[in-house]
Amino acid sequence: NAGVTQTPKFQVLKTGQSMTLQCAQDMNHNSMYWYRQDPGMGLRLIYYSASEGTTDKGEVPNGYNVSRLNKREFSLRLESAAPSQTSVYFCASKFGNYEQYFGPGTRLTVT
Amino acid sequence: KNEVEQSPQNLTAQEGEFITINCSYSVGISALHWLQQHPGGGIVSLFMLSSGKKKHGRLIATINIQEKHSSLHITASHPRDSAVYICAVHENYNTDKLIFGTGTRLQVFP
């Protein structure tokens, strides 16, 4: 089992560019999440998906879109990147009322 | 909305010391999570608990639901325990969205 995988690991974008962060899990989990982590702040939820075909906004959704492509994959898209979106992005998944499993993170810098 | 406070923010210890990290939250919850973030950035879940106490190796987590408080203890600390420890609680009873604390950075020196 690879667990939760994320690509890419690092990315540098110019302001206004777009990109998609990919996340996949092979644990047959129903729920998937996207978080961002900024210095001095706790992890903050961007979007989540309770099951295939459903997505909901979290605490900081502005500037992002998501797609739950199938049960395994949950992608996060930045349509027009801004310096304020410089952050480390984590994808996570879970089954039922159990703990979340986190991916290794994507470090994104927007210049 | 729930608010989570952790203390201390930073903690240094000598190898072998007993460590306690505290977490307080403002709204009643269904469960509380303790996570560990390694220096390389990876995050792993240590405990999920809704009452009482759980133990895994040298780690012990306790929760007092009435006082809205949890503690994470590390017995016989070791340099490999150096990490950021993060507390997280559910936003409220009706959701599994988590609210995270800002973490406690622990450094254990040999």
Side-chain angles (χ1 to χ4, degrees):
Chain A
N1 276 357
V4 180
T5 57
Q6 290 183 236
T7 55
K9 285 189 169 46
F10 300 93
Q11 184 72 47
V12 179
L13 290 177
K14 291 187 179 354
T15 297
Q17 287 185 318
S18 62
M19 78 160 296
T20 300
L21 280 64
Q22 307 285 356
C23 173
Q25 51 89 12
D26 61 0
M27 297 174 283
N28 203 34
H29 288 173
N30 294 322
S31 301
M32 297 186 74
Y33 307 82
W34 276 106
Y35 297 99
R36 61 178 288 172
Q37 185 178 42
D38 301 297
M41 304 186 75
L43 287 153
R44 292 182 292 168
L45 182 64
I46 305 171
Y47 271 94
Y48 71 104
S49 170
S51 61
E52 184 180 351
T54 69
T55 60
D56 283 291
K57 294 178 181 179
E59 186 183 351
V60 287
N62 291 345
Y64 305 95
N65 285 303
V66 289
S67 295
R68 183 74 182 267
L69 303 168
N70 46 55
K71 193 169 187 180
R72 289 188 64 248
E73 298 171 289
F74 188 39
S75 62
L76 178 72
R77 183 158 177 83
L78 287 70
E79 291 290 352
S80 179
S84 61
Q85 294 177 305
T86 293
S87 189
V88 182
Y89 292 84
F90 288 95
C91 177
S93 70
K94 80 176 180 80
F95 176 78
N97 292 326
Y98 297 96
E99 67 270 22
Q100 294 188 17
Y101 288 78
F102 287 80
T106 294
R107 188 173 294 273
L108 175 67
T109 302
V110 183
T111 61
Chain B
K1 180 182 163 178
N2 225 330
E3 293 185 358
V4 180
E5 287 195 11
Q6 286 186 238
S7 62
Q9 285 188 314
N10 294 286
L11 188 52
T12 58
Q14 288 295 127
E15 184 172 354
E17 284 186 10
F18 181 84
I19 305 290
T20 296
I21 299 170
N22 297 299
C23 175
S24 298
Y25 53 92
S26 57
V27 176
I29 56 167
S30 53
L32 180 144
H33 302 250
W34 282 103
L35 306 104
Q36 180 191 55
Q37 185 167 24
H38 301 294
I43 300 172
V44 296
S45 180
L46 297 174
F47 295 103
M48 186 175 93
L49 66 166
S50 53
S51 64
K53 175 175 160 178
K54 284 191 175 180
K55 185 174 189 289
H56 184 251
R58 294 180 295 105
L59 272 58
I60 303 166
T62 64
I63 188 167
N64 184 319
I65 295 292
Q66 287 73 33
E67 294 187 4
K68 298 186 179 62
H69 180 269
S70 176
S71 294
L72 177 69
H73 306 286
I74 305 174
T75 62
S77 59
H78 189 276
R80 65 174 174 267
D81 297 325
S82 298
V84 176
Y85 293 84
I86 301 169
C87 171
V89 302
H90 291 246
E91 193 176 62
N92 55 56
Y93 276 113
N94 300 318
T95 177
D96 66 354
K97 287 193 279 187
L98 293 179
I99 305 294
F100 294 81
T102 54
T104 294
R105 184 176 299 275
L106 171 66
Q107 288 186 293
V108 182
F109 294 99

